[in-house]
PDB file of all heavy atoms in Angstrom:
ATOM      1  N   GLY S 484     -26.142  -2.420  -9.104  1.00 98.00           N
ATOM      2  CA  GLY S 484     -26.983  -2.372 -10.287  1.00 98.00           C
ATOM      3  C   GLY S 484     -27.980  -3.508 -10.364  1.00 98.00           C
ATOM      4  O   GLY S 484     -28.726  -3.605 -11.337  1.00 98.00           O
ATOM      5  N   ALA S 485     -28.011  -4.368  -9.363  1.00 98.00           N
ATOM      6  CA  ALA S 485     -28.917  -5.518  -9.365  1.00 98.00           C
ATOM      7  C   ALA S 485     -30.133  -5.245  -8.489  1.00 98.00           C
ATOM      8  O   ALA S 485     -30.017  -4.664  -7.409  1.00 98.00           O
ATOM      9  CB  ALA S 485     -28.195  -6.769  -8.868  1.00 98.00           C
ATOM     10  N   ALA S 486     -31.279  -5.646  -8.967  1.00 97.00           N
ATOM     11  CA  ALA S 486     -32.529  -5.524  -8.209  1.00 97.00           C
ATOM     12  C   ALA S 486     -33.183  -6.895  -8.115  1.00 97.00           C
ATOM     13  O   ALA S 486     -33.216  -7.653  -9.088  1.00 97.00           O
ATOM     14  CB  ALA S 486     -33.476  -4.531  -8.886  1.00 97.00           C
ATOM     15  N   SER S 487     -33.700  -7.201  -6.950  1.00 96.00           N
ATOM     16  CA  SER S 487     -34.258  -8.519  -6.697  1.00 96.00           C
ATOM     17  C   SER S 487     -35.531  -8.751  -7.489  1.00 96.00           C
ATOM     18  O   SER S 487     -36.450  -7.929  -7.496  1.00 96.00           O
ATOM     19  CB  SER S 487     -34.541  -8.691  -5.207  1.00 96.00           C
ATOM     20  OG  SER S 487     -35.165  -9.931  -4.956  1.00 96.00           O
ATOM     21  N   ASN S 488     -35.559  -9.874  -8.178  1.00 94.00           N
ATOM     22  CA  ASN S 488     -36.776 -10.328  -8.824  1.00 94.00           C
ATOM     23  C   ASN S 488     -37.459 -11.305  -7.865  1.00 94.00           C
ATOM     24  O   ASN S 488     -37.003 -11.509  -6.745  1.00 94.00           O
ATOM     25  CB  ASN S 488     -36.414 -11.004 -10.158  1.00 94.00           C
ATOM     26  CG  ASN S 488     -37.592 -11.104 -11.095  1.00 94.00           C
ATOM     27  OD1 ASN S 488     -38.686 -10.660 -10.764  1.00 94.00           O
ATOM     28  ND2 ASN S 488     -37.377 -11.688 -12.254  1.00 94.00           N
ATOM     29  N   THR S 489     -38.526 -11.930  -8.296  1.00 81.00           N
ATOM     30  CA  THR S 489     -39.189 -12.908  -7.424  1.00 81.00           C
ATOM     31  C   THR S 489     -38.446 -14.236  -7.498  1.00 81.00           C
ATOM     32  O   THR S 489     -39.004 -15.278  -7.873  1.00 81.00           O
ATOM     33  CB  THR S 489     -40.653 -13.093  -7.858  1.00 81.00           C
ATOM     34  OG1 THR S 489     -40.658 -13.476  -9.237  1.00 81.00           O
ATOM     35  CG2 THR S 489     -41.438 -11.821  -7.664  1.00 81.00           C
ATOM     36  N   ASN S 490     -37.152 -14.195  -7.176  1.00 83.00           N
ATOM     37  CA  ASN S 490     -36.320 -15.401  -7.274  1.00 83.00           C
ATOM     38  C   ASN S 490     -36.185 -16.082  -5.916  1.00 83.00           C
ATOM     39  O   ASN S 490     -36.487 -15.502  -4.870  1.00 83.00           O
ATOM     40  CB  ASN S 490     -34.939 -15.061  -7.845  1.00 83.00           C
ATOM     41  CG  ASN S 490     -34.277 -13.915  -7.112  1.00 83.00           C
ATOM     42  OD1 ASN S 490     -34.603 -12.760  -7.360  1.00 83.00           O
ATOM     43  ND2 ASN S 490     -33.377 -14.227  -6.193  1.00 83.00           N
ATOM     44  N   TRP S 491     -35.726 -17.302  -5.946  1.00 91.00           N
ATOM     45  CA  TRP S 491     -35.570 -18.092  -4.732  1.00 91.00           C
ATOM     46  C   TRP S 491     -34.160 -18.672  -4.675  1.00 91.00           C
ATOM     47  O   TRP S 491     -33.386 -18.569  -5.619  1.00 91.00           O
ATOM     48  CB  TRP S 491     -36.614 -19.215  -4.689  1.00 91.00           C
ATOM     49  CG  TRP S 491     -36.617 -20.059  -5.931  1.00 91.00           C
ATOM     50  CD1 TRP S 491     -35.846 -21.138  -6.185  1.00 91.00           C
ATOM     51  CD2 TRP S 491     -37.410 -19.866  -7.090  1.00 91.00           C
ATOM     52  NE1 TRP S 491     -36.099 -21.657  -7.424  1.00 91.00           N
ATOM     53  CE2 TRP S 491     -37.067 -20.885  -8.016  1.00 91.00           C
ATOM     54  CE3 TRP S 491     -38.395 -18.931  -7.462  1.00 91.00           C
ATOM     55  CZ2 TRP S 491     -37.657 -21.009  -9.259  1.00 91.00           C
ATOM     56  CZ3 TRP S 491     -38.986 -19.047  -8.698  1.00 91.00           C
ATOM     57  CH2 TRP S 491     -38.623 -20.071  -9.589  1.00 91.00           C
ATOM     58  N   ILE S 492     -33.821 -19.296  -3.529  1.00 96.00           N
ATOM     59  CA  ILE S 492     -32.507 -19.898  -3.322  1.00 96.00           C
ATOM     60  C   ILE S 492     -32.691 -21.412  -3.229  1.00 96.00           C
ATOM     61  O   ILE S 492     -33.387 -21.908  -2.336  1.00 96.00           O
ATOM     62  CB  ILE S 492     -31.839 -19.382  -2.029  1.00 96.00           C
ATOM     63  CG1 ILE S 492     -31.780 -17.846  -2.024  1.00 96.00           C
ATOM     64  CG2 ILE S 492     -30.434 -19.958  -1.880  1.00 96.00           C
ATOM     65  CD1 ILE S 492     -31.280 -17.267  -0.711  1.00 96.00           C
ATOM     66  N   THR S 493     -32.053 -22.131  -4.143  1.00 96.00           N
ATOM     67  CA  THR S 493     -32.060 -23.598  -4.090  1.00 96.00           C
ATOM     68  C   THR S 493     -30.783 -24.046  -3.398  1.00 96.00           C
ATOM     69  O   THR S 493     -29.676 -23.781  -3.870  1.00 96.00           O
ATOM     70  CB  THR S 493     -32.122 -24.193  -5.504  1.00 96.00           C
ATOM     71  OG1 THR S 493     -33.315 -23.741  -6.148  1.00 96.00           O
ATOM     72  CG2 THR S 493     -32.105 -25.709  -5.439  1.00 96.00           C
ATOM     73  N   GLN S 494     -30.917 -24.714  -2.233  1.00 96.00           N
ATOM     74  CA  GLN S 494     -29.754 -25.111  -1.436  1.00 96.00           C
ATOM     75  C   GLN S 494     -29.664 -26.633  -1.397  1.00 96.00           C
ATOM     76  O   GLN S 494     -30.596 -27.312  -0.957  1.00 96.00           O
ATOM     77  CB  GLN S 494     -29.866 -24.532  -0.020  1.00 96.00           C
ATOM     78  CG  GLN S 494     -29.999 -23.011  -0.032  1.00 96.00           C
ATOM     79  CD  GLN S 494     -29.989 -22.401   1.352  1.00 96.00           C
ATOM     80  OE1 GLN S 494     -29.014 -22.526   2.081  1.00 96.00           O
ATOM     81  NE2 GLN S 494     -31.070 -21.736   1.713  1.00 96.00           N
ATOM     82  N   MET S 495     -28.516 -27.129  -1.858  1.00 97.00           N
ATOM     83  CA  MET S 495     -28.263 -28.563  -1.850  1.00 97.00           C
ATOM     84  C   MET S 495     -27.659 -28.979  -0.511  1.00 97.00           C
ATOM     85  O   MET S 495     -27.055 -28.163   0.197  1.00 97.00           O
ATOM     86  CB  MET S 495     -27.337 -28.934  -3.008  1.00 97.00           C
ATOM     87  CG  MET S 495     -27.792 -28.434  -4.373  1.00 97.00           C
ATOM     88  SD  MET S 495     -29.443 -29.023  -4.825  1.00 97.00           S
ATOM     89  CE  MET S 495     -29.081 -30.767  -5.097  1.00 97.00           C
ATOM     90  N   GLY S 496     -27.769 -30.249  -0.213  1.00 95.00           N
ATOM     91  CA  GLY S 496     -27.307 -30.747   1.087  1.00 95.00           C
ATOM     92  C   GLY S 496     -25.848 -31.148   1.126  1.00 95.00           C
ATOM     93  O   GLY S 496     -25.382 -31.676   2.142  1.00 95.00           O
ATOM     94  N   ASN S 497     -25.089 -30.899   0.042  1.00 97.00           N
ATOM     95  CA  ASN S 497     -23.694 -31.361   0.006  1.00 97.00           C
ATOM     96  C   ASN S 497     -22.688 -30.251   0.315  1.00 97.00           C
ATOM     97  O   ASN S 497     -21.506 -30.388   0.029  1.00 97.00           O
ATOM     98  CB  ASN S 497     -23.376 -31.989  -1.353  1.00 97.00           C
ATOM     99  CG  ASN S 497     -23.697 -31.040  -2.518  1.00 97.00           C
ATOM    100  OD1 ASN S 497     -24.158 -29.934  -2.307  1.00 97.00           O
ATOM    101  ND2 ASN S 497     -23.435 -31.507  -3.731  1.00 97.00           N
ATOM    102  N   THR S 498     -23.156 -29.147   0.899  1.00 98.00           N
ATOM    103  CA  THR S 498     -22.208 -28.107   1.336  1.00 98.00           C
ATOM    104  C   THR S 498     -21.610 -28.497   2.691  1.00 98.00           C
ATOM    105  O   THR S 498     -22.268 -29.133   3.518  1.00 98.00           O
ATOM    106  CB  THR S 498     -22.897 -26.745   1.452  1.00 98.00           C
ATOM    107  OG1 THR S 498     -23.968 -26.840   2.390  1.00 98.00           O
ATOM    108  CG2 THR S 498     -23.431 -26.281   0.107  1.00 98.00           C
ATOM    109  N   LYS S 499     -20.353 -28.097   2.904  1.00 97.00           N
ATOM    110  CA  LYS S 499     -19.669 -28.445   4.150  1.00 97.00           C
ATOM    111  C   LYS S 499     -19.196 -27.217   4.939  1.00 97.00           C
ATOM    112  O   LYS S 499     -18.977 -27.306   6.142  1.00 97.00           O
ATOM    113  CB  LYS S 499     -18.467 -29.338   3.842  1.00 97.00           C
ATOM    114  CG  LYS S 499     -18.856 -30.687   3.231  1.00 97.00           C
ATOM    115  CD  LYS S 499     -17.640 -31.566   2.983  1.00 97.00           C
ATOM    116  CE  LYS S 499     -18.066 -32.917   2.394  1.00 97.00           C
ATOM    117  NZ  LYS S 499     -16.894 -33.799   2.111  1.00 97.00           N
ATOM    118  N   GLU S 500     -19.025 -26.088   4.263  1.00 98.00           N
ATOM    119  CA  GLU S 500     -18.551 -24.875   4.939  1.00 98.00           C
ATOM    120  C   GLU S 500     -19.674 -23.859   5.125  1.00 98.00           C
ATOM    121  O   GLU S 500     -19.665 -23.080   6.064  1.00 98.00           O
ATOM    122  CB  GLU S 500     -17.399 -24.233   4.136  1.00 98.00           C
ATOM    123  CG  GLU S 500     -16.683 -23.098   4.848  1.00 98.00           C
ATOM    124  CD  GLU S 500     -15.912 -23.567   6.068  1.00 98.00           C
ATOM    125  OE1 GLU S 500     -15.426 -24.726   6.067  1.00 98.00           O
ATOM    126  OE2 GLU S 500     -15.793 -22.786   7.036  1.00 98.00           O
ATOM    127  N   ILE S 501     -20.656 -23.885   4.232  1.00 98.00           N
ATOM    128  CA  ILE S 501     -21.759 -22.926   4.293  1.00 98.00           C
ATOM    129  C   ILE S 501     -22.800 -23.390   5.293  1.00 98.00           C
ATOM    130  O   ILE S 501     -23.234 -24.547   5.287  1.00 98.00           O
ATOM    131  CB  ILE S 501     -22.406 -22.761   2.902  1.00 98.00           C
ATOM    132  CG1 ILE S 501     -21.421 -22.112   1.925  1.00 98.00           C
ATOM    133  CG2 ILE S 501     -23.682 -21.930   2.998  1.00 98.00           C
ATOM    134  CD1 ILE S 501     -21.938 -22.036   0.503  1.00 98.00           C
ATOM    135  N   SER S 502     -23.220 -22.482   6.140  1.00 97.00           N
ATOM    136  CA  SER S 502     -24.308 -22.744   7.074  1.00 97.00           C
ATOM    137  C   SER S 502     -25.631 -22.258   6.508  1.00 97.00           C
ATOM    138  O   SER S 502     -26.597 -23.016   6.404  1.00 97.00           O
ATOM    139  CB  SER S 502     -24.027 -22.060   8.411  1.00 97.00           C
ATOM    140  OG  SER S 502     -25.119 -22.194   9.284  1.00 97.00           O
TER     141      SER S 502
END
Side-chain angles (χ1 to χ4, degrees):
S487 176
N488 199 1
T489 56
N490 51 281
W491 53 87
I492 306 173
T493 300
Q494 303 185 62
M495 308 302 290
N497 54 0
T498 59
K499 296 182 179 179
E500 189 67 31
I501 294 174
S502 174

